[in-house]
Amino acid sequence: MKILIIDDDIALCALVKRHLEKGGDECECLYDLENVSAQVKEVQPDIILLDIGFEGADGVWSLPTIENAAPFASIIFITSHTESSEMVRALKAGGNYYIKKPLNMEELTAIINSQKRNLITHNATIKMGTFTFTPKNQTLSNGEQTILLTAFESKLLNLLAMNQGNTVTRTEIYQHLWKGNDTTAASLNNLVSHLREYFSPETGVEIETIWGAGYKLTVKK
């Protein structure tokens, strides 16, 4: 697994990097949030260890930018902030886990291993009719051309594909894509319309509207 540590504590980054690499993981360190989007895109990590407090910046505020660059990465906040309000803020923003400093390496390893199990499906390819969808790379290929999806397109298609044949409600989609933050029905409608443009009738893939409920992805055999 690729793990990116984003923390301005250089000594701590080096310590965590050595510990994780002993377990066979590939680790990179980033010491500030400047140009974070480009750097995250370059690394394409599976797991991100993200500090909250940076000089003139905030890890929680930067999370949407980071998620857009690596939408399927698991985010583990590591911070010296002990207030429960900070933990709630980080998790509501989309963090998968929250660890308080000073770090316990055994606890960190256990949490990372639990996230690895959850990430297995994101690293796999999904066959859909004549298409192959690779969530982590955000690509949709039919053998002749490869389409690079946006982060939101990829997350929605993955959600529908993992629930193939079953209705995914609008509420579930809003929570999965926007984490309960305010958005509009038009945003979701436009996103579904964009995905549908990739699937012509002969592909055997259809995103059905289930009126009053949500959407369902079906694949004809």
Side-chain angles (χ1 to χ4, degrees):
M1 286 279 180
K2 281 188 178 181
I3 300 176
L4 176 62
I5 308 162
I6 308 177
D7 196 311
D8 56 3
D9 187 332
I10 297 175
L12 178 64
C13 285
L15 178 66
V16 174
K17 185 175 187 290
R18 283 197 302 270
H19 174 75
L20 296 177
E21 287 181 338
K22 285 181 181 178
D25 292 307
E26 182 181 342
C27 298
E28 298 285 345
C29 293
L30 182 59
Y31 306 114
D32 57 50
L33 295 172
E34 188 176 352
N35 300 320
V36 67
S37 178
Q39 303 219 46
V40 170
K41 280 184 179 179
E42 181 179 347
V43 176
Q44 278 302 299
D46 300 292
I47 296 173
I48 297 174
L49 304 181
L50 177 61
D51 192 13
I52 290 179
F54 292 83
E55 185 175 352
D58 183 290
V60 176
W61 293 346
S62 300
L63 189 55
T65 300
I66 292 170
E67 287 189 313
N68 192 56
F72 292 101
S74 178
I75 309 294
I76 300 174
F77 280 101
I78 52 173
T79 178
S80 57
H81 290 282
T82 59
E83 306 91 337
S84 59
S85 59
E86 279 296 280
M87 179 177 70
V88 171
R89 185 170 76 97
L91 296 179
K92 285 183 70 175
N96 297 95
Y97 222 97
Y98 184 101
I99 308 176
K100 296 176 182 177
K101 296 178 181 177
L103 296 179
N104 179 299
M105 291 302 174
E106 288 187 5
E107 178 187 4
L108 177 63
T109 300
I111 290 169
I112 286 175
N113 287 339
S114 73
Q115 295 305 301
K116 286 178 181 178
R117 292 191 289 271
N118 295 335
L119 287 165
I120 290 174
T121 56
H122 293 159
N123 291 330
T125 57
I126 302 171
K127 285 290 295 180
M128 296 183 298
T130 60
F131 280 95
T132 299
F133 171 47
T134 307
K136 183 183 177 183
N137 296 339
Q138 298 173 230
T139 56
L140 185 65
S141 174
N142 63 3
E144 297 180 357
Q145 64 172 337
T146 297
I147 302 164
L148 181 61
L149 304 177
T150 67
F152 279 114
E153 288 174 344
S154 190
K155 291 184 78 170
L156 176 55
L157 184 57
N158 187 64
L159 180 63
L160 295 172
M162 296 305 294
N163 292 276
Q164 187 179 138
N166 298 309
T167 299
V168 181
T169 68
R170 280 180 167 265
T171 300
E172 290 172 322
I173 295 172
Y174 288 142
Q175 184 60 40
H176 185 73
L177 268 65
W178 290 282
K179 298 180 173 61
N181 296 322
D182 290 339
T183 189
T184 64
S187 296
L188 177 54
N189 293 341
N190 289 336
L191 196 56
V192 172
S193 295
H194 290 161
L195 283 179
R196 283 174 171 158
E197 291 175 359
Y198 304 134
F199 302 116
S200 56
E202 60 269 19
T203 65
V205 181
E206 181 181 5
I207 299 175
E208 299 181 52
T209 298
I210 310 301
W211 295 106
Y215 298 94
K216 178 170 64 175
L217 185 142
T218 57
V219 179
K220 296 179 181 178
K221 303 297 182 182

